[in-house]
Amino acid sequence: MKSEPEEFSIDDLVRQKKTPWFGVRNYQARNFMMKDMKIGDPVFFYHSSCPEPGIAGIAQICSLPYPDATQFDSKSPYYEPAAKKDSPRWFNVDVKLVRKTRLVSLASLRAHPELADMRILARGNRLSITPVEPGEWDFITGSLALP
DNA sequence: GCCAACGTTGGC
DNA sequence: GCCAACGTTGGC
């Protein structure tokens, strides 16, 4: 799951322990949260659009999907005028900290042929949430010796 | 700041 | 339903 650290970083999650993953405004990413994520699933917390993009920590899904509150907030950058309380458009899950890790940079992810098929590394990928295959997870947490 | 890639919008 | 125009993402 990607986040811009200037908006919400792994250190913010260390302080808060838990956060709603608000602000997802892409249907594919939303559907990953609504259909594929299960409570207890582990996720990589990825820093994007920053000087050192890469995996910065590990978190865990800790709620079912529920309506994203920011879509109803006219002062929020994530405000969605078309969304109504009785027919929300955007949903989020809650995520809790497992641990902060050393930074596994985007460059180092790309350097490993074992990770060549990772969805997040695909050309032109802009999805803020992408699936990680079990083998990719094991390789990153094991061979890259996180943390 | 640039630009490739992709998603969304809206006229027809 | 098509598709051009536009907006956004995100690495560099």
Side-chain angles (χ1 to χ4, degrees), chain A residues 34-109:
Chain A
M34 295 185 76
K35 296 179 178 171
D36 295 337
M37 287 179 169
K38 302 284 181 288
I39 290 175
D41 281 352
V43 306
F44 288 126
F45 190 117
Y46 180 93
H47 283 174
S48 67
S49 296
C50 58
E52 278 195 298
I55 294 168
I58 294 174
Q60 194 176 42
I61 307 304
C62 64
S63 83
L64 295 172
Y66 60 95
D68 179 338
T70 61
Q71 72 191 301
F72 305 120
D73 178 1
S74 60
K75 294 184 294 295
S76 166
Y78 298 114
Y79 180 51
E80 172 55 73
K84 300 297 170 223
K85 292 269 187 181
D86 57 357
S87 63
R89 179 173 302 192
W90 303 113
F91 291 77
N92 61 246
V93 294
D94 289 343
V95 154
K96 69 179 180 184
L97 178 73
V98 173
R99 63 177 178 273
K100 181 178 176 176
T101 64
R102 72 176 178 83
L103 188 96
V104 180
S105 70
L106 175 59
S108 71
L109 293 173

